[in-house]
């Protein structure tokens, strides 16, 4: 056994993995959600909206009402599971209780449920939705970046997606009020001009792309919760108009239903 393996095993004994849903200690050979919580998680699979990924209660339609009525800036969003039960408790720990480790379970779920999709869309780079710096200092991390880092790590182990990279071209220029209690139109207004491209990325774009092409053909945007898609739209629009990406796909850990 190599030194690193011995070190990892010793660390696991001192700090064993916990289930992010119920916070129970997991056996050494397990990670992610425990079997009991896994059985209660509702996977965001079919029937789901083909554009935003929210669960549908009608399997005779392919798009939700909101996606029929209005276009998104991203091409398609996928989520791991419904925002309820163990997943809701885990997300609360992830965002507000300093449980950065909970991101591994969500990232693992996202990739395992949608690996064929990842292989088909062939994105070149993964981009986390940025957090306002002051809020990130208080929380200690950006949960979207934790998700993105883990997703990239998992995908790089797959032959079809091994060349994918993590990049961080967007910053959040100002803080915004919490989105969860706002209407769709107010959410979009709330996010207007909240994001901007980093100066070093603009320079890189100008060096490696011309006036008519983008730095990347396809990118994957990562966030924690899908509600209306306003945040994903705002960042996607910036990436497209700023010639960072020609097409934007997205994933979120959890989603609501329609």
């Amino acid at each position: 056994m190599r030194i690193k393996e011995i070190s990892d095993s010793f660390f696991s004994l001192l700090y064993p993995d916990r289930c992010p849903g119920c916070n129970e200690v997991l056996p050494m050979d397990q990670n992610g959600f425990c079997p009991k919580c896994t059985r209660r998680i509702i996977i965001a699979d079919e029937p789901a909206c083909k554009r935003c990924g929210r669960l549908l209660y009608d399997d005779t339609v392919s798009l939700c009402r909101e996606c029929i009525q209005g276009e998104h800036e991203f091409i398609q969003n996928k989520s791991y599971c419904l925002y309820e039960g163990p997943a809701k408790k885990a997300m609360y720990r992830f965002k507000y209780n300093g449980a950065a480790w909970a991101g591994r379970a969500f990232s693992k779920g996202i990739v395992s449920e949608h690996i064929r999709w990842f292989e088909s869309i062939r994105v070149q780079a993964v981009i986390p939705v940025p957090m306002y710096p002051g809020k990130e200092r208080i929380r200690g991390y950006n949960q979207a970046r934790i998700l993105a880092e883990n997703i990239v790590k998992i995908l790089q182990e797959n032959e079809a997606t091994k060349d994918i990279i993590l990049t961080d071209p967007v910053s959040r220029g100002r803080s915004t009020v919490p989105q969860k209690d706002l209407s769709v139109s107010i959410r979009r207004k709330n996010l207007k001009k909240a994001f901007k491209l980093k100066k070093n990325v603009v320079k890189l774009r100008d060096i490696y792309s011309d006036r008519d092409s983008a730095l990347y053909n396809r990118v994957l945007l990562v966030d924690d919760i899908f509600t209306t898609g306003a945040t994903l739209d705002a960042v996607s629009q910036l990436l497209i108009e700023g010639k960072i990406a020609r097409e934007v796909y997205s994933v979120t850990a959890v989603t609501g239903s329609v």
Side-chain angles (χ1 to χ4, degrees):
M1 183 179 287
R2 293 178 297 178
I3 294 176
K4 186 180 184 303
E5 292 174 338
I6 296 173
S7 176
D8 289 345
S9 298
F10 182 68
F11 186 84
S12 296
L13 286 172
L14 292 177
Y15 304 100
D17 285 339
R18 290 180 175 272
C19 170
C22 63
N23 207 35
E24 291 295 319
V25 173
L26 295 170
M28 284 188 63
D29 60 341
Q30 291 184 18
N31 54 53
F33 288 91
C34 71
K36 183 177 179 181
C37 286
T38 299
R39 287 192 293 270
R40 296 175 56 205
I41 288 175
I42 301 175
I43 302 300
D45 200 356
E46 301 299 334
C49 176
K50 301 301 183 185
R51 176 56 62 84
C52 72
R54 285 185 294 179
L55 287 177
L56 300 169
Y57 289 112
D58 184 353
D59 59 6
T60 64
V61 298
S62 59
L63 295 175
C64 67
R65 185 182 297 108
E66 287 80 3
C67 287
I68 291 174
Q69 294 175 346
E71 288 290 324
H72 284 293
E73 298 293 334
F74 56 87
I75 291 178
Q76 190 177 31
N77 178 71
K78 294 283 189 179
S79 298
Y80 168 44
C81 63
L82 194 62
Y83 184 46
E84 65 175 44
K88 188 172 184 178
K89 292 179 179 178
M91 183 55 66
Y92 185 88
R93 290 189 175 97
F94 187 31
K95 292 186 69 169
Y96 304 114
N97 280 4
W101 50 268
R104 295 196 301 270
F106 283 119
S107 299
K108 177 183 176 182
I110 290 169
V111 177
S112 64
E113 290 300 325
H114 303 299
I115 185 59
R116 297 292 171 254
W117 180 74
F118 280 112
E119 292 174 347
S120 67
I121 61 175
R122 308 291 287 187
V123 297
Q124 297 162 286
V126 176
I127 300 172
V129 170
M131 180 182 288
Y132 183 66
K135 185 180 290 185
E136 186 172 348
R137 282 193 295 270
I138 293 172
R139 184 165 297 174
Y141 54 86
N142 173 10
Q143 65 274 6
R145 184 175 179 86
I146 296 291
L147 291 169
E149 289 173 346
N150 283 296
I151 287 171
V152 168
K153 184 177 180 180
I154 298 170
L155 289 177
Q156 286 177 342
E157 296 174 353
N158 183 294
E159 182 63 28
T161 55
K162 64 180 182 181
D163 295 326
I164 200 166
I165 64 168
L166 178 72
T167 186
D168 201 7
V170 183
S171 63
R172 195 155 192 155
R174 63 182 177 86
S175 184
T176 53
V177 299
Q179 297 278 91
K180 60 182 180 179
D181 297 321
L182 303 178
S183 66
V184 176
S185 60
I186 297 299
R187 283 172 189 249
R188 296 188 186 280
K189 185 176 180 181
N190 185 39
L191 290 166
K192 191 175 183 180
K193 298 182 179 179
F195 302 101
K196 60 183 180 181
L197 294 178
K198 295 178 179 178
K199 292 181 179 179
N200 64 323
V201 174
V202 174
K203 291 180 180 178
L204 186 68
R205 176 204 63 191
D206 294 341
I207 293 172
Y208 290 101
S209 66
D210 57 43
R211 184 179 299 176
D212 298 320
S213 63
L215 190 58
Y216 300 105
N217 284 327
R218 299 182 186 89
V219 299
L220 181 77
L221 195 56
V222 180
D223 205 3
D224 52 8
I225 303 174
F226 188 98
T227 47
T228 65
T231 299
L232 295 174
D233 280 331
V235 180
S236 296
Q237 183 177 16
L238 177 66
L239 293 171
I240 294 169
E241 292 181 352
K243 297 292 185 180
I244 301 301
R246 185 170 60 85
E247 297 177 345
V248 180
Y249 291 81
S250 62
V251 292
T252 55
V254 295
T255 183
S257 57
V258 291

